[in-house]
């Protein structure tokens, strides 16, 4: 009986979501907070069908609560992306823009600039930037830079605390010995204090290298799936690539892909440019992207290929398995991340993930700090 009851309950919940909040008394939702959030998101959009007078009455009834009346357009778009499948989220967004004309983010710079500059707004801007123009687009770019700078600061601190940070010769050492003296950096940083009369360099700060030796640089190739469902991971990947680019033991390459491959290695140190280049949606050809990554491998035993994708391959899976096998057999490390963000909560093709793991790839979801630790472990052998 428990199976049919769950099925009937799910069907009733779906009908209740379709009918909207006005059906709550006759058909209450039965489930956790996610269903309530979905209900709020749908009500925020489709209650417009009732007309302004009815909507005003409903809004007054809900004042003081935590329901849909408190959602903004930006927050609503973020909720939709998190709660619904990608195809459904795209339909809802299209209805919002075309049917209900919720175009404040696209046409009003002042509305955009008054919004809280956080990751939810960043995701919304990246989703809609193709429709933004003129001063609205410039305002959006400034917001992207502001949020990315805050995120970079936070993630750089995490990387510096990680095992990878301990391998970075740019980090300062607590061991102040002549062997660890960074002469070039010390001179460069103190040039402003050169005493022309005495013709000597006054050293106000002396810099030391970390204790780890610098080995041949490792090449890290980040291949990032730009499908809409991967947006939080795309943001974190772009920021991580920028952090890696500043580490002397890493030679960082960055590509983004859908059915085509775009090499952004030339702007890897600017996450804002990277993110503003992303075109969300479209198909996915992971095999083609990894073939391009394979062409960038020059020293396999000092190369890590980091694939960030939900592993929903649009082409034949055998092509994907073939290129993964070739990369692994070359001696390079293949890391398939089904999510790279603070929550590391993935949604991915489990059959493909298992197949890649069986081939010898490391497959999993990671926070940025965990990825840095993992990379350090690989580098140390």
């Amino acid at each position: 009986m428990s199976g049919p009851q769950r099925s009937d309950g799910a069907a009733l919940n779906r009908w209740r979501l379709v009918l909207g909040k006005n059906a709550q008394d006759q058909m209450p939702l039965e489930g956790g907070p996610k269903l309530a959030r979905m209900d709020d998101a749908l009500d925020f959009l489709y209650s417009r069908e009732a007309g302004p007078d009815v909507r005003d009455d409903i809004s007054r009834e809900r004042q003081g609560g935590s329901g849909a009346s408190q959602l903004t357009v930006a927050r609503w778009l973020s909720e939709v992306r998190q709660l619904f499948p990608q195809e459904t989220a795209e339909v809802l967004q299209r209805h919002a823009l075309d049917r209900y004309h919720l175009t404040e983010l696209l046409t009003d710079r002042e509305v955009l600039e008054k919004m809280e500059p956080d990751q939810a707004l960043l995701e919304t801007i990246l989703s809609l930037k193709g429709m933004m123009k003129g001063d609205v687009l410039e305002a959006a770019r400034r917001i992207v830079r502001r949020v990315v700078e805050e995120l970079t600061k936070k993630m750089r601190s995490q990387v510096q605390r990680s095992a990878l940070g301990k391998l970075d010769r740019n980090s300062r050492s607590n061991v102040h010995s002549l062997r660890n003296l960074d002469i070039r950096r010390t001179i460069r940083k103190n040039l402003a204090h050169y005493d022309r009369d005495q013709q000597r360099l006054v050293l106000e700060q002396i810099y030391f290298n970390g204790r780890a030796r610098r080995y041949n640089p490792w090449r890290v190739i980040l291949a990032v799936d730009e499908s809409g469902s991967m947006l939080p991971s795309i943001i974190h990947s772009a920021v991580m690539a920028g952090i890696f680019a500043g580490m002397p033991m890493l030679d960082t390459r960055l590509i983004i892909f859908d059915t085509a491959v775009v090499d952004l290695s030339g702007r890897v140190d600017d996450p804002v440019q990277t993110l503003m280049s992303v075109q969300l949606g479209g198909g996915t050809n992971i095999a083609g992207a990894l073939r391009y990554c394979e062409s960038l491998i020059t020293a396999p035993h000092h190369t890590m290929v980091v694939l960030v994708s939900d592993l929903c391959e649009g082409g034949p899976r055998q092509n994907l398995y073939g290129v993964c096998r070739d990369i692994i057999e070359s001696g390079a490390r293949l890391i398939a991340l089904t999510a790279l963000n603070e929550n590391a909560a993935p949604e991915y093709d489990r059959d493909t993930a298992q197949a890649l793991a069986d081939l010898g790839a490391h497959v999993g979801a990671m926070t940025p700090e965990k990825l840095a630790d993992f990379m350090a472990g690989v580098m140390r052998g």
Side-chain angles (χ1 to χ4, degrees):
M1 288 295 292
S2 59
Q5 286 177 343
R6 283 197 298 270
S7 177
D8 291 346
L12 287 173
N13 281 333
R14 284 196 296 271
W15 273 111
R16 164 61 182 76
L17 290 173
V18 170
L19 294 171
K21 286 184 177 290
N22 290 334
Q24 176 66 17
D25 292 339
Q26 293 76 26
M27 191 183 295
L29 278 175
E30 296 181 0
K34 182 177 180 180
L35 275 174
R37 290 169 59 200
M38 293 172 73
D39 194 28
D40 285 341
L42 292 172
D43 187 63
F44 177 83
L45 183 63
Y46 293 112
S47 63
R48 287 166 171 75
E49 295 284 357
D53 294 338
V54 176
R55 290 198 73 229
D56 289 343
D57 291 340
I58 294 173
S59 179
R60 282 191 291 270
E61 289 175 6
R62 294 177 191 157
Q63 284 179 355
S66 58
S69 61
Q70 294 187 348
L71 286 173
T72 64
V73 175
R75 184 65 62 182
W76 174 79
L77 286 166
S78 178
E79 283 283 275
V80 164
R81 283 193 301 273
Q82 294 179 35
L83 296 171
F84 297 95
Q86 182 178 347
E87 296 82 0
T88 305
E90 289 174 355
V91 170
L92 293 174
Q93 180 175 299
R94 192 160 55 248
H95 283 178
L97 296 174
D98 298 340
R99 187 170 176 176
Y100 301 111
H101 308 295
L102 301 182
T103 58
E104 297 101 309
L105 290 177
L106 305 180
T107 59
D108 195 324
R109 176 180 58 81
E110 292 184 0
V111 169
L112 185 61
E113 290 178 336
K114 288 178 181 177
M115 292 183 175
E116 180 68 24
D118 56 15
Q119 185 165 327
L121 182 56
L122 172 58
E123 293 177 13
T124 297
I125 289 173
L126 295 180
S127 297
L128 302 178
K129 63 181 173 61
M131 294 179 279
M132 294 177 175
K133 298 178 182 178
D135 59 350
V136 176
L137 182 58
E138 288 305 311
R141 190 183 296 273
R142 288 193 294 271
I143 293 171
V144 170
R145 184 166 297 281
R146 180 176 171 183
V147 178
V148 165
E149 286 174 352
E150 288 296 318
L151 192 56
T152 299
K153 182 179 179 181
K154 178 180 180 181
M155 290 171 59
R156 182 179 286 120
S157 175
Q158 293 174 347
V159 171
Q160 288 172 345
R161 291 197 306 267
S162 72
L164 184 63
K166 295 179 176 62
L167 295 179
D168 182 10
R169 285 179 62 90
N170 276 341
S171 62
R172 296 181 183 179
S173 173
N174 293 323
V175 181
H176 293 174
S177 68
L178 182 61
R179 182 183 63 180
N180 291 337
L181 177 64
D182 188 337
I183 296 176
R184 291 185 178 180
R185 188 179 183 195
T186 298
I187 293 174
R188 186 175 67 253
K189 291 290 187 178
N190 289 280
L191 282 176
H193 312 303
Y194 182 73
D195 188 332
R196 294 182 180 276
D197 294 335
Q198 299 293 325
Q199 293 187 343
R200 66 175 183 174
L201 184 65
V202 179
L203 301 182
E204 291 197 357
Q205 177 69 54
I206 300 175
Y207 295 86
F208 296 86
N209 290 319
R211 284 179 286 180
R213 291 177 55 198
R214 180 180 179 181
Y215 295 91
N216 293 331
W218 277 74
R219 174 163 289 183
V220 177
I221 305 169
L222 275 165
V224 185
D225 180 350
E226 61 177 354
S227 60
S229 60
M230 295 298 297
L231 186 50
S233 294
I234 294 170
I235 293 170
H236 284 79
S237 297
V239 174
M240 284 293 284
I243 294 170
F244 290 162
M247 304 180 77
M249 84 282 273
L250 298 179
D251 171 23
T252 305
R253 306 300 172 95
L254 174 65
I255 73 164
I256 57 175
F257 68 91
D258 44 29
T259 53
V261 175
V262 179
D263 192 329
L264 297 176
S265 300
R267 60 183 73 171
V268 68
D269 58 346
D270 189 345
V272 175
Q273 283 197 46
T274 297
L275 291 173
M276 295 303 284
S277 301
V278 169
Q279 301 293 330
L280 299 173
T284 307
N285 183 359
I286 306 174
L290 289 181
R291 280 296 177 199
Y292 180 80
C293 293
E294 186 184 22
S295 73
L296 301 178
I297 298 174
T298 56
H301 293 283
H302 275 79
T303 300
M304 283 180 271
V305 178
V306 182
L307 170 67
V308 184
S309 173
D310 57 12
L311 302 179
C312 295
E313 175 63 300
R317 288 188 184 182
Q318 291 306 316
N319 293 349
L320 172 59
Y321 301 153
V323 65
C324 290
R325 184 180 297 108
D326 291 343
I327 290 173
I328 294 167
E329 290 181 353
S330 75
R333 277 68 163 184
L334 177 61
I335 306 164
L337 299 184
T338 54
L340 176 64
N341 55 58
E342 293 178 348
N343 299 321
E347 293 184 9
Y348 61 98
D349 187 308
R350 297 183 181 276
D351 291 337
T352 301
Q354 185 61 58
L356 297 189
D358 292 342
L359 289 173
H362 179 89
V363 181
M366 292 187 187
T367 63
E369 187 172 4
K370 291 296 184 182
L371 173 60
D373 283 333
F374 181 85
M375 290 172 60
V378 171
M379 294 169 67
R380 284 171 166 161

